[in-house]
Amino acid sequence: MLNTSITVISESIVLAFVLFHLLQWLTQKSDEPLAVENAIPFIGPVVQMLRCKSQFHLRMRNKYGLPVHTLRLPWIRIYVLNELSLITAAQKQHHILSFGPIMGQAIGKIAGTSDATNKAIIKDALTDDGFLLGFNKAIHHTMAPGPSLDMLTRRAASTFLDLIDELKNSTTRTYKVSLSAWMRSTILRGTTDAVYGPRNPFRDPAIETAWYAFEPGVTRLAMRFIPSFATKKTRQARQVLVRSFTSYFSLGCPEEASDFMKARYNHIIRHQITNVQDIAKLEVAGAFSIITNSAPTAFWLLYHIFSDKSLLADCRLELDSLVHERDGMCYLNIGAIKTSCPTLHSTLHEVMRYYGVAQSLRAVLKDHKLENTHLLRKDSLVMMPATVQHFDPSIWGFEASQFNHKRFTKSSSDGAGYEFDSKTCNRGGFRGFGGGLHLCPGRHFAVDEILTFAALIVLRFDIEPTGNEGWPVIHTDTLSSKGSAIIIPDNDLEVILCPREDKKWAISSITPS
């Protein structure tokens, strides 16, 4: 009897395997990109994704060498673009290959908003008149270089200074901290103080704790096939955050908030979303984009600077020229960091290249032949993984797999040193901020605040790991598959911060006279 049962089960598995192979073959058209990892129908790509994590797409490109390939998953097709020319072509077809439907569905699930609000979000999803595509247009003037962006950066820098001074006001001369955790908290406060103003909900430690419980589960909330019991803790943390933001918005957008926050709030109101709880839910979802990536980016930046003595010396030499002392106060001209510190600026962009794992997605709204060759079928997804472009030797040279902090610099025209090479940064192969129509609107603020934070630490502290073994290799295999666009370090790093000198510091956007 037992042998009979085993035989029946074995035969059923074999039959199912054959049928799924047949189904996969019959539903794959000849002019579609070749399907890969399909030895186990529909499941093979999932297994490899779980095994390879952030390196999955790079390994598939290296293994198959295809300009584009198809991943057949149980619930959808994904066309992965590996060749830069195909990415450029795809980004031009934004009415056919659109992020709008993906974003519209994801926002509702992440935020947990009402049906009425969800309908308002997806209305006119493919036009600038809609909530989704109209958002970037509504907030552009507040995040583009100019007075509003300058104020955002100054507010963040002011909070950074306050929190660093709080650390220095302790009774010890040196300070032992978990570098990633300390930076995460400090940058969270600086970013949110800049955006939300004095009534910033994240000033409450309970709200900061709730955010750390909410943030890792955001990707799972957005996925339609994840059961509700698997997101229980994330949704509970979201409730705590929503209550706080409901109080924040109870009387409208605070006058002390940033121009960016006011523009975002006004955009929501213009689309007839007036329920204060739904406004709070949308803000909790929106906060993910302004908070998540800055801290891990800054962590890797400081890790590379302080673990390389020559790089540290070069960065300090550049920054020293921006410090002016008057009446016992050191003023740092933060407005000149991007233009006067090419090594620091280049190292930041190399961090985004080397550790960037963003996966730009587009929904295929109707059948389309990309470059008149590759059939992309309606209701599928197109994916443009940053890792493939960031490690392409044809773009970055034979040493693409190596970290090179000078990659984004070139000799200055006057021969007096180096300058930041914006042409290298603006290549289509650099996808630190995405690309095309959906280039990250907050990229200028992200760069400004990270450079400012790094400058303050580099100028004011020496940092050494605890113990006597020097700077360790940081592993990145476990947490890097989360929704962050930057690889998250698996383990924190215990370090000693030692102040270089006992002086008072302030921020200046212009050189004091």
Side-chain angles (χ1 to χ4, degrees):
M1 187 70 178
L2 178 60
N3 289 338
T4 302
S5 298
I6 292 175
T7 300
V8 170
I9 292 172
S10 299
E11 290 176 348
S12 299
I13 292 174
V14 171
L15 179 61
F17 184 80
V18 172
L19 289 175
F20 280 126
H21 254 300
L22 183 61
L23 175 63
Q24 184 173 260
W25 179 72
L26 289 173
T27 56
Q28 185 79 10
K29 293 189 176 182
S30 60
D31 48 356
E32 281 185 84
L34 182 69
V36 302
E37 294 299 308
N38 58 355
I40 305 176
F42 304 107
I43 303 300
V46 178
V47 173
Q48 290 300 317
M49 285 179 184
L50 294 173
R51 188 173 72 88
C52 300
K53 295 185 170 64
S54 65
Q55 296 301 302
F56 170 74
H57 294 292
L58 185 59
R59 291 187 181 185
M60 292 303 99
R61 192 280 306 273
N62 293 341
K63 180 177 180 179
Y64 295 101
L66 295 170
V68 52
H69 60 253
T70 305
L71 299 175
R72 295 295 303 273
L73 305 182
W75 52 90
I76 200 166
R77 283 173 169 80
I78 300 178
Y79 302 113
V80 181
L81 306 186
N82 296 316
E83 194 169 278
L84 182 56
S85 62
L86 293 181
I87 292 176
T88 303
Q91 290 176 163
K92 293 177 181 177
Q93 303 295 329
H94 53 83
H95 291 299
I96 298 173
L97 310 177
S98 175
F99 186 50
I102 300 171
M103 184 164 53
Q105 183 184 70
I107 288 176
K109 289 183 174 295
I110 293 170
T113 39
S114 65
D115 289 342
T117 293
N118 292 341
K119 289 179 181 178
I121 290 173
I122 63 175
K123 184 180 179 182
D124 297 326
L126 303 179
T127 73
D128 287 346
D129 295 327
F131 180 89
L132 297 171
L133 295 186
F135 173 76
N136 285 2
K137 184 178 179 180
I139 60 95
H140 177 266
H141 68 286
T142 69
M143 297 298 258
S148 294
L149 177 64
D150 291 345
M151 182 57 70
L152 267 179
T153 306
R154 285 178 63 85
R155 283 182 171 182
S158 178
T159 296
F160 295 155
L161 272 178
D162 290 343
L163 294 176
I164 290 171
D165 287 341
E166 284 181 15
L167 186 67
K168 289 193 65 178
N169 287 336
S170 65
T171 56
T172 58
R173 173 62 182 162
T174 60
Y175 321 102
K176 182 179 179 180
V177 300
S178 297
L179 186 61
S180 180
W182 177 73
M183 289 175 59
R184 185 186 190 191
S185 179
T186 302
I187 292 177
L188 172 72
R189 269 289 306 276
T191 302
T192 54
D193 270 3
V195 171
Y196 301 116
R199 291 178 52 195
N200 174 20
F202 288 95
R203 290 188 174 186
D204 182 346
I207 301 306
E208 181 177 345
T209 299
W211 179 260
Y212 297 147
F214 170 73
E215 186 181 45
V218 166
T219 303
R220 291 194 297 273
L221 282 179
M223 295 179 179
R224 63 189 179 195
F225 54 86
I226 299 293
S228 59
F229 70 82
T231 60
K232 182 179 179 181
K233 291 183 178 180
T234 304
R235 288 183 286 108
Q236 288 175 339
R238 183 178 67 187
Q239 289 176 353
V240 175
L241 295 164
V242 168
R243 283 196 294 269
S244 181
F245 273 97
T246 299
S247 175
Y248 180 83
F249 288 115
S250 59
L251 299 176
C253 187
E255 183 63 31
E256 306 87 356
S258 64
D259 290 344
F260 164 70
M261 186 66 256
K262 293 172 184 174
R264 182 144 84 176
Y265 178 84
N266 291 335
H267 178 70
I268 293 172
I269 297 299
R270 275 199 300 273
H271 286 271
Q272 284 74 55
I273 301 173
T274 55
N275 179 286
V276 67
Q277 192 172 58
D278 271 1
I279 293 173
K281 289 178 177 179
L282 287 174
E283 189 52 43
V284 170
F288 185 80
S289 63
I290 65 172
I291 293 174
T292 299
N293 296 310
S294 294
T297 304
F299 172 86
W300 292 118
L301 178 59
L302 290 188
Y303 172 83
H304 281 280
I305 290 174
F306 281 94
S307 62
D308 184 334
K309 291 184 178 180
S310 63
L311 171 56
L312 176 61
D314 288 344
C315 288
R316 280 178 173 162
L317 183 63
E318 293 175 351
L319 287 166
D320 281 343
S321 66
L322 305 183
V323 179
H324 300 268
E325 190 170 351
R326 185 180 66 187
D327 299 329
M329 180 75 74
C330 293
Y331 291 88
L332 172 61
N333 179 3
I334 63 173
I337 294 176
K338 280 198 293 192
T339 55
S340 301
C341 302
T343 304
L344 179 61
H345 201 179
S346 173
T347 305
L348 171 58
H349 280 78
E350 179 67 347
V351 162
M352 289 189 286
R353 184 196 73 88
Y354 193 79
Y355 294 99
V357 290
Q359 299 178 13
S360 301
L361 285 172
R362 302 291 183 268
V364 184
L365 304 184
K366 65 179 182 179
D367 285 2
H368 175 70
K369 275 206 169 182
L370 189 61
E371 296 283 80
N372 295 316
T373 303
H374 308 286
L375 175 63
L376 310 179
R377 295 173 66 176
K378 181 182 177 183
D379 297 327
S380 300
L381 294 178
V382 168
M383 180 178 287
M384 296 163 275
T387 49
V388 173
Q389 301 307 309
H390 287 178
F391 289 90
D392 188 340
S394 69
I395 298 173
W396 305 104
F398 68 92
E399 84 295 0
S401 62
Q402 304 299 313
F403 187 94
N404 177 7
H405 68 267
K406 292 184 177 180
R407 189 180 301 277
F408 293 87
T409 61
K410 65 179 181 180
S411 297
S412 59
S413 57
D414 59 7
Y418 291 91
E419 60 186 24
F420 183 72
D421 186 359
S422 59
K423 291 183 179 179
T424 300
C425 179
N426 290 333
R427 289 182 188 179
F430 179 78
R431 301 191 62 81
F433 296 109
L437 183 66
H438 298 285
L439 192 64
C440 175
R443 61 192 182 279
H444 298 295
F445 176 50
V447 169
D448 287 352
E449 73 161 344
I450 293 170
L451 288 177
T452 298
F453 176 80
L456 289 169
I457 300 301
V458 167
L459 286 168
R460 300 185 65 179
F461 293 96
D462 288 317
I463 302 180
E464 291 291 344
T466 57
N468 299 313
E469 298 180 359
W471 288 86
V473 174
I474 304 295
H475 297 289
T476 58
D477 293 331
T478 302
L479 301 178
S480 56
S481 60
K482 305 298 183 184
S484 173
I486 294 289
I487 285 179
I488 299 171
D490 284 356
N491 50 299
D492 210 334
L493 180 62
E494 294 288 330
V495 300
I496 301 295
L497 275 69
C498 181
R500 299 177 69 205
E501 51 192 18
D502 191 17
K503 292 183 178 180
K504 295 181 178 180
W505 286 75
I507 295 299
S508 173
S509 58
I510 59 173
T511 303
S513 58

